[in-house]
Amino acid sequence: MSKVHLLSLAICLASTSALAVEQGEYQINGFGTVGITHLGGEDDLDYGIQGQTNDSWRGDQLSKFAVQMQYGITDTLSFTGQLATKPLQDSWEVGPGNVYLAWQASDNLTLRGGRLGTPIYMYSETLNVGFSYPWLRLPEEVYSLVQITNHDGADLLYNRSTGLGTLSFQLAGGQAKNRDIYSLDNTHDIDYNDVFATSLALSTDSFGTFRIGYAEADIKTSIDEVITNFVGVRENFMFNDLDHQKGKFSSIGHQYDNGTWLSAVEAIKLSIEANDTAETNAFYLMGGRRFGDFLPHVTYAQLDAPAGRQRSMTYGLNYNLMPTVTLKGEFKRVDVS
């Protein structure tokens, strides 16, 4: 049993959300996080989707910045582009984020094409916008499992008001070539071919937002590492070799926020079609309450994978410095068996 403790502090900021622009108009918005982390507990461990959190005080696990521009080509056709910088292990990666054209076909229907966010998780739409969710880092028992954040292709967005609330449907498809996946303390190349993702959400005034989602892709990657075998000889060992094997991901979640109380729960299942024993299940449950500008919250998360179980408890406290700036602190204990 391994135990680690993570202490994190960050300031999250965002400008006002971009609205629809008319022909010839443009809007520029930005968001970012400035944060530091420290890990204690067992020796020689690291933590995080890219493994940057270790036993030194570091600012390259949480910190990220992005600017987004939206331009109205016509009254119904617009261009959106992002430029972002974020950490990739021990270096910083600067490049374009989501870049796409959007056509407002009707009041309810929007069609988009380009590099788009992939609707994998409940918070996929604002995955890198730390200001938009209560945590410093999204629960990694869930959010580390599928590391694809966007794809090259197209999607369809449909929204409709009903007697129960606003119904939102998204359908996406495309591919994501030459992406990075973090495993075994290193990054490896991975291709996601024939990406298909869909989600359905119902937003109500009194009961919060309910969401279900499904995604799949043909995965190609090789994850190997040099190890010392049982006779003391160092050799290259293949831990995972996927050649266009279909990965399937399903999720269900709920968010609630009435201005005082808030909660979130999300459960997922990940499987590889050719390996029935490789199924992974994970979930988290979060609750919090606002006291003026303060928001204390607590989260329990659990991951059950073929290699074992990971559990964590996260205790957080947020303070609203300004309407668009939040100071966040967290203490997290992680147990791995």
Side-chain angles (χ1 to χ4, degrees), residues 111-334:
L111 303 176
R112 305 188 300 180
R115 174 157 290 187
L116 302 156
T118 311
I120 301 292
Y121 295 107
M122 189 162 62
Y123 289 96
S124 283
E125 188 69 22
T126 58
L127 197 63
N128 294 313
V129 188
F131 181 83
S132 64
Y133 42 76
W135 305 275
L136 266 169
R137 68 180 95 216
L138 289 157
E140 286 176 325
E141 285 78 7
V142 171
Y143 279 78
S144 66
L145 295 180
V146 179
Q147 297 179 26
I148 178 177
T149 59
N150 54 38
H151 67 279
D152 300 321
D155 70 2
L156 174 153
L157 305 172
Y158 181 79
N159 296 282
R160 186 178 184 86
S161 297
T162 70
L164 297 175
T166 301
L167 195 65
S168 301
F169 172 72
Q170 185 171 4
L171 182 68
Q175 63 180 13
K177 296 279 193 176
N178 299 319
R179 302 302 174 87
D180 292 321
I181 182 172
Y182 180 79
S183 180
L184 302 176
D185 297 328
N186 208 345
T187 55
H188 307 265
D189 291 331
I190 184 170
D191 290 340
Y192 300 89
N193 297 289
D194 300 328
V195 174
F196 170 81
T198 185
S199 66
L200 181 67
L202 176 65
S203 301
T204 68
D205 292 332
S206 302
F207 303 104
T209 299
F210 302 85
R211 180 190 181 276
I212 58 172
Y214 174 80
E216 65 177 41
D218 289 334
I219 302 171
K220 180 178 176 61
T221 188
S222 296
I223 299 175
D224 58 351
E225 189 67 63
V226 176
I227 66 170
T228 302
N229 63 23
F230 67 96
V231 295
V233 177
R234 291 178 63 79
E235 62 177 345
N236 190 71
F237 184 80
M238 183 65 66
F239 283 88
N240 205 346
D241 186 18
L242 301 178
D243 188 3
H244 294 286
Q245 294 190 30
K246 181 169 291 186
K248 298 181 178 181
F249 181 92
S250 54
S251 64
I252 184 170
H254 175 259
Q255 302 176 57
Y256 177 79
D257 188 347
N258 67 355
T260 300
W261 294 95
L262 73 159
S263 64
V265 59
E266 190 170 8
I268 66 93
K269 181 174 75 171
L270 174 65
S271 62
I272 303 297
E273 192 173 59
N275 188 354
D276 294 335
T277 65
E279 182 176 295
T280 298
N281 296 277
F283 73 93
Y284 66 83
L285 177 64
M286 184 276 291
R289 188 187 191 282
R290 292 186 178 87
F291 298 89
D293 291 328
F294 290 92
L295 169 60
H297 58 88
V298 61
T299 302
Y300 174 81
Q302 181 172 307
L303 164 67
D304 290 295
R309 169 174 289 183
Q310 175 174 312
R311 297 178 297 173
S312 69
M313 289 293 300
T314 302
Y315 307 92
L317 179 63
N318 301 351
Y319 176 70
N320 289 334
L321 295 172
M322 298 169 55
T324 57
V325 181
T326 299
L327 175 66
K328 298 182 178 182
E330 281 184 1
F331 175 82
K332 184 170 186 174
R333 174 185 169 124
V334 182

Side-chain angles (χ1 to χ4, degrees), residues 10-143:
I11 293 179
C12 304
L13 59 154
S15 59
T16 55
S17 300
L19 303 174
V21 292
E22 297 182 357
Q23 183 176 358
E25 294 182 344
Y26 71 91
Q27 287 190 355
I28 297 178
N29 305 89
F31 57 87
T33 300
V34 180
I36 56 174
T37 60
H38 187 274
L39 178 147
E42 302 286 345
D43 295 333
D44 300 324
L45 293 176
D46 55 23
Y47 189 76
I49 292 178
Q50 296 293 341
Q52 299 103 322
T53 306
N54 55 31
D55 60 359
S56 299
W57 288 100
R58 297 184 60 165
D60 58 353
Q61 199 277 334
L62 300 174
S63 300
K64 61 191 75 172
F65 308 94
V67 61
Q68 174 176 293
M69 187 194 75
Q70 188 178 22
Y71 176 75
I73 301 173
T74 70
D75 287 342
T76 59
L77 183 66
S78 65
F79 167 81
T80 299
Q82 293 179 349
L83 181 65
T85 176
K86 61 181 180 179
L88 180 65
Q89 285 195 280
D90 294 323
S91 63
W92 287 83
E93 182 180 74
V94 180
N98 297 343
V99 180
Y100 58 87
L101 291 172
W103 176 45
Q104 189 77 33
S106 68
D107 290 341
N108 304 108
L109 178 64
T110 301
L111 303 176
R112 305 188 300 180
R115 174 157 290 187
L116 302 156
T118 311
I120 301 292
Y121 295 107
M122 189 162 62
Y123 289 96
S124 283
E125 188 69 22
T126 58
L127 197 63
N128 294 313
V129 188
F131 181 83
S132 64
Y133 42 76
W135 305 275
L136 266 169
R137 68 180 95 216
L138 289 157
E140 286 176 325
E141 285 78 7
V142 171
Y143 279 78

